[in-house]
Amino acid sequence: MSDMQRVAPPLTTRTADFWRSGADGVLRIAHCRACNFYMHPPQPLCRRCHSTDVGFDPVSGKGTVHSFTINRYQWKPGMPPPYVIADVELEEQAGLFVQTNIVGVAVEDVAIGMKVAVEFEQAEEAFIPVFRP
Ligand SMILES: [Zn+2]
């Protein structure tokens, strides 16, 4: 856990299963079962093969920091700076990115190429995926 006070995201028909996924500690990503293609943010239609056979399936929760920025300004009351906003590329598929926070490490020590793994921070019904080295 970081010291952030998370605000729960809206749980819509399209996103609720994603946000609730972390309740059991497992990250689930929208996945086309017809052509084995992952999509994030979730989409109801596969953008590769146009199948509607898309559901949320478990992934390893392991990835690599692809890019990041250090936020040094207090934009939100519950999120004291500095903190890292990163694009983590999940190991399941090249180009499959989750925009997230990197926790459990000093912001100065975050680096492109760093291996990270998911954990979750709960906000009401939602489990927000964050990543830690
Ligand atoms: Zn597909």
Side-chain angles (χ1 to χ4, degrees):
M1 295 287 289
S2 68
D3 56 0
M4 294 187 187
Q5 294 164 1
R6 300 290 185 169
V7 176
L11 301 189
T12 66
T13 303
R14 185 180 294 185
T15 65
D17 287 348
F18 172 76
W19 291 119
R20 291 196 181 106
S21 169
D24 62 359
V26 176
L27 181 63
R28 291 175 179 81
I29 297 289
H31 179 226
C32 174
R33 292 158 179 167
C35 76
N36 195 33
F37 187 69
Y38 290 97
M39 295 169 285
H40 187 76
Q43 299 293 326
L45 178 74
C46 176
R47 69 169 185 262
R48 191 165 79 169
C49 79
H50 300 167
S51 172
T52 55
D53 186 11
V54 173
F56 287 89
D57 289 330
V59 293
S60 65
K62 294 177 181 166
T64 303
V65 174
H66 177 79
S67 63
F68 70 95
T69 186
I70 300 172
N71 179 58
R72 298 187 184 280
Y73 298 94
Q74 181 92 44
W75 299 108
K76 296 179 180 178
M79 296 181 70
Y83 57 88
V84 172
I85 302 167
D87 283 322
V88 167
E89 186 173 33
L90 299 179
E91 70 174 18
E92 275 72 18
Q93 180 178 295
L96 178 63
F97 298 111
V98 175
Q99 193 166 72
T100 185
N101 298 123
I102 306 297
V103 301
V105 60
V107 295
E108 296 80 12
D109 292 337
V110 175
I112 289 171
M114 175 180 272
K115 300 291 184 190
V116 289
V118 74
E119 63 183 42
F120 296 91
E121 295 188 358
Q122 186 172 3
E124 299 174 25
E125 284 184 74
F127 293 81
I128 297 168
V130 298
F131 286 75
R132 173 186 297 267

